[in-house]
Amino acid sequence: MSILVVGSVAFDTLETPSGKANKILGGAATYFSLAASYFTDVRVIGVVGEDFTAEHEAVLTKRGIDTRGIEHADGLSFHWTGSYSGSLNEAKTLGTDLNVFATFSPKIPDAYKDSEYLFLANIDPVLQAEVRKQMPEVKMVCGDTMNYWIADHNENLKKVLKELDVLLINDGEARMLAGEQNMVKAAEAVMAMGPKALVIKHGEYGASAFFCDRSFAGTDGIAKPFRAPALPLSEVVDPTGAGDSFAGGFYGYIASQPKLTPGVFRRALFYGSVMGSFAVEKFGTERMQELSREEIEKRFGLFMEISHLEHARA
Amino acid sequence: MSILVVGSVAFDTLETPSGKANKILGGAATYFSLAASYFTDVRVIGVVGEDFTAEHEAVLTKRGIDTRGIEHADGLSFHWTGSYSGSLNEAKTLGTDLNVFATFSPKIPDAYKDSEYLFLANIDPVLQAEVRKQMPEVKMVCGDTMNYWIADHNENLKKVLKELDVLLINDGEARMLAGEQNMVKAAEAVMAMGPKALVIKHGEYGASAFFCDRSFAGTDGIAKPFRAPALPLSEVVDPTGAGDSFAGGFYGYIASQPKLTPGVFRRALFYGSVMGSFAVEKFGTERMQELSREEIEKRFGLFMEISHLEHARA
């Protein structure tokens, strides 16, 4: 099944304790697409500038990603500058040059219209809504957002939330969106805004899923939360894109399955964590470009071993 | 098998968003003993003052806990005053009145000498070392500590660490003790100080175990970490004693089993999380006093359901 993703295809200039990188390929849609491409077909909607070369595009097409929806505009691509320190859980943004993104108006190629899964990556909720409107027939809609949209574009964001099956955000964003510190209460408040399920990412501690739809419920029919671990890593080279790669693994796995069952949703969280754990091992999208499904399955097995009781000896 | 625990039996005056409590029974050894008492025999070494009445002692003896090692001294019991706000992950200490604890010198009754499991709760490492010395024949030693001892009594603490099979501390303490932000590297550095295994508690995110002893290894013989979830709770009434209750569930389960296998260690982490999740549901030790093994097993099942893939429908 095909996923259509709308989001940023961009350049990142960043510094981590492991080193520096200057204007490397990045962007939420890029990380998402690469991660999802190991599971299913992916089509991208975005905009790039003249600094986005054939070589950059090949990073996506080599993975079978359909880039016909990437518009080439005059000027420079979206460029983010940031740095990480300490626990690497949060980036300090040093610069956000929207460039061609400032006037972006997403247009969906006819060839994309039969996509069954829609992912609204972290962009202006007005653009998210525009894309959603152009894809009325999709089977499932997932989305992401960030503190900036929650704080300053709340009304527009609320309209998008009504359209979502699943929202993926981090702890701080969930608490901010709900205006509630307790994670369970925050999840309930966010789901009351529209999403049928909420995935809260906890960085190095993994992720939790909350469900308000009983079809996502556990063996006894009650919609209990589910927790997926993160892999303890002795080195995080570059945390950029970990959340988008998580989303790509999560949604890519879902789109690859015939039906969204509670078991599929839960395994999708593990695949999300798996892809997030790979993403941070090298700078930029490097690790996301070179994986094999075999490596992914092997790491899935490692996640089972670090979290499932029956995988230990007696 | 019997666990001997040395630690504080104390009174707590505290405030949480759910309410206030004045001089209620608390202390690390109290929470630990109550939690462990659902799994195995427990014997306590500690000191109390004249304000510790027969009624307080009955809280422990009703659970079958051996209190013969609790010394009754002139003066008042150890008294901690604190408050919680926001995420409830950290207490603000408003007062620490050591009282009779200031001159405490642990003496071990002869009836305790055959204890096979020793738990050194969070007290002055000099006292931890004294108790360890008096129990040379124990099968296993676990311990806890806190930022105060790590910062100001580091040399004494290092001597105790050499004697430990398992150290249980929280994230911040692990990073502080190791002088290292990365959790895996911090764990390795702490285990190089002595403990064969390290349990790092992440509050609402669960706990991780790290092993340097190959006998704790997974199915392929490699000592990988293991992660246990915490239960997402919509209300945390009082976080006091959650970590000590975790330790009691963890160690109580281990002591109840014929042999410490990798499987027993991992299940023990789940029982630790289970007891921690109960502890915070009511003020003080209230919830820890009234549990049944049936309730504990039921919650263990809930932990399986929120973390294990095969517990979801297809």
Side-chain angles (χ1 to χ4, degrees):
Chain A
M1 304 290 181
S2 290
I3 297 179
L4 188 159
V5 53
V6 57
S8 56
V9 177
F11 290 104
D12 294 337
T13 293
L14 50 90
E15 187 169 356
T16 81
S18 304
K20 288 180 186 195
N22 188 42
K23 275 202 92 175
I24 53 171
L25 183 62
T30 307
Y31 281 102
F32 177 92
S33 299
L34 288 169
S37 73
Y38 292 94
F39 300 91
T40 196
D41 293 334
V42 186
R43 298 150 169 189
V44 191
I45 301 279
V47 63
V48 293
E50 295 152 69
D51 47 356
F52 187 84
T53 64
E55 206 182 319
H56 295 119
E57 192 142 356
V59 168
L60 299 169
T61 52
K62 260 189 208 159
R63 289 284 327 133
I65 297 162
D66 193 331
T67 58
R68 286 176 290 175
I70 299 181
E71 186 188 324
H72 291 255
D74 293 341
L76 293 172
S77 302
F78 179 33
H79 181 205
W80 176 78
T81 307
S83 77
Y84 301 85
S85 60
S87 72
L88 296 176
N89 278 333
E90 209 164 352
K92 192 178 168 191
T93 292
L94 301 171
T96 306
D97 305 310
L98 285 177
N99 299 327
V100 295
F101 223 89
T103 53
F104 177 45
S105 171
K107 286 168 253 348
I108 298 171
D110 284 340
Y112 282 18
K113 289 281 165 80
D114 63 349
S115 309
E116 291 190 272
Y117 293 85
L118 177 60
F119 189 76
L120 308 170
N122 168 34
I123 49 170
D124 187 335
V126 170
L127 300 182
Q128 291 180 317
E130 267 179 44
V131 172
R132 173 69 182 103
K133 211 173 154 188
Q134 292 177 66
M135 298 292 292
E137 304 292 326
V138 289
K139 197 167 149 184
M140 187 171 173
V141 189
C142 282
D144 186 8
T145 192
M146 71 182 290
N147 47 11
Y148 174 71
W149 310 114
I150 296 168
D152 297 343
H153 298 255
N154 203 274
E155 212 170 305
N156 293 333
L157 179 62
K158 290 277 170 71
K159 285 178 200 157
V160 174
L161 293 179
K162 283 192 181 60
E163 304 281 329
L164 294 184
D165 293 297
V166 185
L167 174 67
L168 293 98
I169 49 179
N170 70 30
D171 282 299
E173 289 157 0
R175 293 188 163 113
M176 187 180 179
L177 183 54
E180 165 66 49
Q181 281 295 311
N182 178 279
M183 192 165 40
V184 177
K185 286 184 184 158
E188 283 164 2
V190 171
M191 290 189 294
M193 298 172 193
K196 297 187 189 73
L198 174 66
V199 175
I200 305 183
K201 294 167 287 174
H202 312 310
E204 65 173 317
Y205 302 118
S208 301
F210 295 89
F211 310 96
C212 62
D213 184 335
R214 280 180 153 260
S215 64
F216 289 116
T219 41
D220 61 358
I222 297 170
K224 298 189 191 98
F226 188 78
R227 301 202 113 164
L231 187 67
L233 293 166
S234 60
E235 194 183 17
V236 172
V237 172
D238 175 12
T240 312
D244 302 310
S245 302
F246 178 101
F250 168 79
Y251 209 31
Y253 178 74
I254 286 179
S256 76
Q257 298 299 301
K259 207 183 149 211
L260 178 56
T261 65
V264 165
F265 197 107
R266 285 157 174 77
R267 280 194 296 281
L269 289 169
F270 270 62
Y271 280 110
S273 282
V274 162
M275 299 312 281
S277 76
F278 281 125
V280 304
E281 288 182 350
K282 294 194 178 177
F283 262 98
T285 59
E286 202 179 333
R287 195 75 180 97
M288 281 294 108
Q289 295 179 36
E290 65 183 13
L291 287 165
S292 68
R293 191 59 196 255
E294 203 186 343
E295 273 181 290
I296 292 168
E297 292 308 321
K298 200 179 156 198
R299 184 152 298 182
F300 186 92
L302 179 57
F303 269 79
M304 293 296 284
E305 222 179 310
I306 67 162
S307 63
H308 278 54
L309 291 175
E310 72 277 15
H311 284 253
R313 288 202 316 269
Chain B
M1 303 289 181
S2 290
I3 297 179
L4 189 160
V5 53
V6 58
S8 58
V9 177
F11 290 104
D12 293 336
T13 293
L14 50 91
E15 188 169 356
T16 81
S18 303
K20 288 179 186 195
N22 188 40
K23 275 203 90 174
I24 54 172
L25 183 62
T30 306
Y31 281 101
F32 176 92
S33 300
L34 288 169
S37 74
Y38 293 92
F39 300 90
T40 196
D41 293 336
V42 186
R43 299 153 169 186
V44 191
I45 301 280
V47 62
V48 293
E50 295 152 69
D51 46 357
F52 187 85
T53 64
E55 207 182 317
H56 294 120
E57 191 142 357
V59 168
L60 299 169
T61 53
K62 261 188 207 161
R63 290 284 328 134
I65 296 162
D66 193 331
T67 59
R68 286 177 291 176
I70 298 180
E71 187 188 323
H72 291 256
D74 294 340
L76 293 172
S77 302
F78 179 34
H79 181 207
W80 177 78
T81 307
S83 78
Y84 300 85
S85 60
S87 73
L88 297 174
N89 279 334
E90 208 164 354
K92 191 177 168 191
T93 292
L94 301 170
T96 307
D97 305 309
L98 285 177
N99 299 326
V100 295
F101 224 89
T103 53
F104 178 45
S105 169
K107 285 169 246 2
I108 298 171
D110 285 339
Y112 282 18
K113 290 281 166 80
D114 63 350
S115 309
E116 290 189 273
Y117 294 84
L118 176 60
F119 189 76
L120 308 171
N122 168 32
I123 50 170
D124 187 332
V126 170
L127 300 182
Q128 291 179 319
E130 269 180 40
V131 171
R132 173 69 183 103
K133 210 172 155 188
Q134 292 176 66
M135 297 293 293
E137 304 292 327
V138 288
K139 198 166 148 184
M140 187 171 172
V141 189
C142 282
D144 187 7
T145 193
M146 71 182 289
N147 47 10
Y148 174 71
W149 310 115
I150 296 168
D152 297 343
H153 299 257
N154 202 273
E155 212 170 306
N156 292 333
L157 178 62
K158 291 278 171 70
K159 286 178 199 156
V160 174
L161 293 179
K162 285 193 177 63
E163 303 282 330
L164 294 184
D165 292 297
V166 185
L167 174 67
L168 293 97
I169 49 180
N170 69 30
D171 282 299
E173 289 157 0
R175 293 189 161 113
M176 186 179 179
L177 183 54
E180 166 65 48
Q181 282 296 313
N182 177 279
M183 193 166 37
V184 177
K185 285 185 185 158
E188 283 165 2
V190 170
M191 290 190 293
M193 297 173 192
K196 296 187 190 72
L198 174 67
V199 175
I200 304 184
K201 295 167 286 174
H202 312 309
E204 65 173 316
Y205 301 118
S208 301
F210 294 89
F211 309 97
C212 62
D213 184 334
R214 281 183 152 256
S215 64
F216 288 117
T219 40
D220 60 359
I222 297 170
K224 299 188 190 97
F226 188 78
R227 302 201 112 165
L231 187 66
L233 293 165
S234 60
E235 195 184 17
V236 172
V237 172
D238 174 13
T240 313
D244 302 312
S245 302
F246 178 102
F250 168 79
Y251 209 32
Y253 178 73
I254 286 178
S256 77
Q257 298 299 301
K259 207 182 150 210
L260 178 56
T261 64
V264 165
F265 197 107
R266 284 157 175 76
R267 280 194 295 282
L269 289 169
F270 271 62
Y271 279 111
S273 281
V274 162
M275 299 312 280
S277 77
F278 280 125
V280 303
E281 288 182 350
K282 293 192 177 179
F283 262 98
T285 59
E286 203 180 330
R287 195 74 180 98
M288 281 294 108
Q289 294 179 38
E290 64 184 15
L291 287 167
S292 67
R293 191 61 196 254
E294 203 186 344
E295 275 181 287
I296 292 167
E297 292 308 321
K298 200 178 155 198
R299 184 151 298 182
F300 186 92
L302 178 55
F303 270 78
M304 292 296 284
E305 223 177 311
I306 67 163
S307 62
H308 278 53
L309 292 176
E310 72 276 17
H311 284 253
R313 287 202 315 270

